Amino acid sequence: MTTSIDTMKQQARRLRTSMAARGVPLTLAQALETVAHTLGHRDWNTASALATQAEASNTNQSWSVGQTVGGEYLGQSFRGTVLGIAQLPQDRERITLRFDAPLDVVEFDSFSSFRQRVTAVIGRDGVSPKKRSDSTPHLRLTAQN
């Protein structure tokens, strides 16, 4: 089984933190290379390419206009309908969704901003490549029955 890119990056961050605590500074690039070597890969580029290839072969969800979908948008669960979809390079798609109920996309108690329609770029797996500061994807889709 291939380790995901996100998991390898998390391991590299933990390695950097651990080494810094011991007084051994390590760049992120050095940590990524070390993680790749410990997983049996020649270098980081090889490890990330294999992980990307494995993820693509395991996840080839197809989305269509009118399809009912669910998932998470900015950390909030939703159910909605696909209004539009366009193919993009690198096995990505631009998808427009209409949520069944508006989502408050602001996390502050004293301010709200509701969205009912959004457009985002996703991979074939239904996950957006853009992430929040906590490393969770902006959008994660799941097919609904």
Side-chain angles (χ1 to χ4, degrees):
M1 184 171 131
T2 305
T3 306
S4 75
I5 290 176
D6 286 340
T7 300
M8 290 187 287
K9 286 182 178 180
Q10 289 171 357
Q11 290 172 348
R13 285 187 214 104
R14 285 193 304 267
L15 176 62
R16 284 187 74 196
T17 302
S18 176
M19 296 304 286
R22 292 177 175 80
V24 180
L26 201 61
T27 67
L28 180 58
Q30 290 170 325
L32 290 168
E33 290 290 328
T34 302
V35 167
H37 290 143
T38 61
L39 293 172
H41 302 290
R42 183 173 56 114
D43 56 25
W44 169 250
N45 289 337
T46 303
S48 63
L50 290 172
T52 300
Q53 184 179 20
E55 289 172 12
S57 67
N58 290 336
T59 55
N60 280 326
Q61 176 68 41
S62 179
W63 310 102
S64 59
V65 173
Q67 181 179 7
T68 300
V69 295
E72 287 189 356
Y73 179 70
L74 298 178
Q76 297 186 49
S77 296
F78 73 86
R79 183 176 164 93
T81 305
V82 177
L83 296 180
I85 192 153
Q87 296 299 316
L88 300 174
Q90 300 175 336
D91 285 332
R92 294 194 176 169
E93 299 169 322
R94 181 179 303 111
I95 192 164
T96 301
L97 303 172
R98 183 179 190 283
F99 302 138
D100 291 349
L103 296 179
D104 186 359
V105 296
V106 177
E107 295 180 354
F108 299 109
D109 292 334
S110 60
F111 179 72
S112 293
S113 179
F114 289 91
R115 291 197 183 158
Q116 190 159 16
R117 182 176 173 156
V118 297
T119 299
V121 173
I122 58 172
R124 298 290 293 160
D125 58 356
V127 178
S128 73
K130 291 192 175 184
K131 298 186 191 285
R132 297 169 35 148
S133 60
D134 64 358
S135 296
T136 60
H138 284 191
L139 176 65
R140 182 184 308 271
L141 291 179
T142 56
Q144 301 288 303
N145 294 331

